[in-house]
Every structure is written in C-alpha cells, then in structure tokens.
Amino acid sequence: MHMELVTAWRPSVPGIAEVFHAHFVDHAYPPHVHDAWTLLIVDEGAIRFDLDRHHRGAAGASVTLLPPDVPHDGRAATGDGFRKRVLYLDTTVLDAGLAGAAVDRPGVDDPLLRQRIHQLHLALDAPGEELEAESRLTLIRDRLQGHFDRHATPGPPARGVAGGLRELLDARTREGITLVEAAALLGCHPGHLVRSFTATFGLPPHRYLVGRRVEQARRLLLSGRRPADVAAEVGFHDQSHLHRHFVRHVGVTPARYAAHGGVPKTLPSAR
C-alpha cells in the first residue's frame, strides 16, 4: 500500500481558483472536465493522460496547459508514480480562443516558464506574498499567451442538442434533470440526446454532471464548508455519495480535503 499525499488550498490571489499539489502512485483519474484552465508541472515521475480522446503525457521540464470543459483523465506513466503541482486558473486569465491550441499542443517545453510557475507556487505557499504571486501570475499569463497565440483558433460553439443539454446541466447542477425532461425541452429522443452529447463532449451526460458537482464541492470545501452540507448543496444524494465520487475524482476524501481549507496543508489520501 502506497502513501499518497494531497495539498489543496484557495489563495487570495485574483485569477487563481485553487492550488493543488499531489503525490500519486496508484490513483487514476476518471474522464472529467474542469471549469477552469489547468496549469500543471510534474516534479517527479511522469503522467499519461487522454485529452479530448488523444493520448498525451507530462513529465520533466515541460509545462502542461489543459483548457476548460475538455474531457481528460490521468494516471502514472510508471509504477513509481508522480508528484505534480497544479494551478486552476479562472477563465478570465486566458483567452478562450487558446483552447483549441491547448488541445492540440498541451505541452510546452519552456524552462523559463516552468521556473516562473515554480516561483509562483513558492509565493503562494508564503503568507503575505499575495502581491508577488499576482505579479508572477501576470508574467506567466503573458508567456502562455505568447506560446499559444500563434496556434489559436476560435473554438467551435456548442451547437444543437448536445450544447443545449450542457446548458441545462450547467444551469441545474444541483437539482439535476432527467433525460426524458431534457429531451422534451430540446425536442429530440433521449437516446439521440445521449449519443450526441457523448460524441460532442467526449463523455456521457451523467459523468459530466458528476464532474461539475465535484468541481463545485472542491470550491465549497476550501471555503470552509462541512462535507455534509456541501453534499446537499451541490446535488449529491448524501455525504457517502459525495465521498465516493470525490475520492475517485480527487484522490482524497472530502473531509481530509476540507480539514485545512484556505491554508497549505498536506493531506493523506484515502487508501
């Protein structure tokens, strides 16, 4: 049995939704999406992941940028596992037009960019250094823009019934919606709705909804809310329902994740 560790907090720095550090050996992320940009560096080992149904990897000196709302998974590339540091950046930080380029080329070999990201993590880990962190984030944003701008293409808008269902799921994350109701609202058959959504977004509607609920739970837990309250607020049936999906998506229990919300703290995962 491997000891795997997670550190998570929400800094008071505009543009950064969450800081997430992890050491994983056996944990494998299921396909999911984030509502934020994912800026990732790997300190030890290597990661394999599928992004929008394409095989990718992250390791060494490279920097990885994953766009919002694009399905991906993740697991260790070797039996030794990996250590990673992640910044979840608000969608206001980077232009939406960069999403297509980030899907095509998520990895960037740029030692200066990686060093700046490392320095930003150090600043975020030091109380009272918010101005330094904000300044470093600005430099990182500009360098990322420079890397991806030349490949940027406007992302295609979500069209048809698949886009309509995603809008319904985003608007009704807590209460949910049945396929029969959604199909009636969108004027199609439930089976066609599921097939269209899965083909368009890379995962079925129920997995998309669970991922959205986990994302909302992370934010609430880091703001100091109790797991039992969070479960009901984001739409899980009860705390055990939240627990099961949260561990699968994040690699640590909601209670441990929330134990020191708002400050850097290493948390052992549930094994």
Side-chain angles (χ1 to χ4, degrees), residues 127-188:
E129 299 300 335
E130 289 79 11
L131 181 58
E132 177 187 348
E134 192 171 355
S135 299
R136 292 194 180 281
L137 177 61
T138 299
L139 295 175
I140 290 166
R141 176 206 173 276
D142 291 346
R143 198 160 182 90
L144 286 169
Q145 287 279 162
H147 275 292
F148 289 100
D149 262 340
R150 60 183 178 273
H151 303 296
T153 56
R159 295 189 177 95
V161 295
L165 178 55
R166 187 170 76 170
E167 291 177 359
L168 288 172
L169 293 173
D170 287 344
R172 298 176 58 171
T173 300
R174 178 181 179 180
E175 62 269 36
I177 188 170
T178 67
L179 283 176
V180 172
E181 182 182 359
L185 288 171
L186 297 171
C188 67

Side-chain angles (χ1 to χ4, degrees), residues 174 210 213-214 217 230-232 234-238 241-242 245-246:
R174 178 181 179 180
V210 167
R213 287 172 172 169
V214 169
V230 168
V234 302
F236 287 109
H237 178 68
D238 54 24
H241 191 204
L242 166 65
H245 286 294
F246 199 91

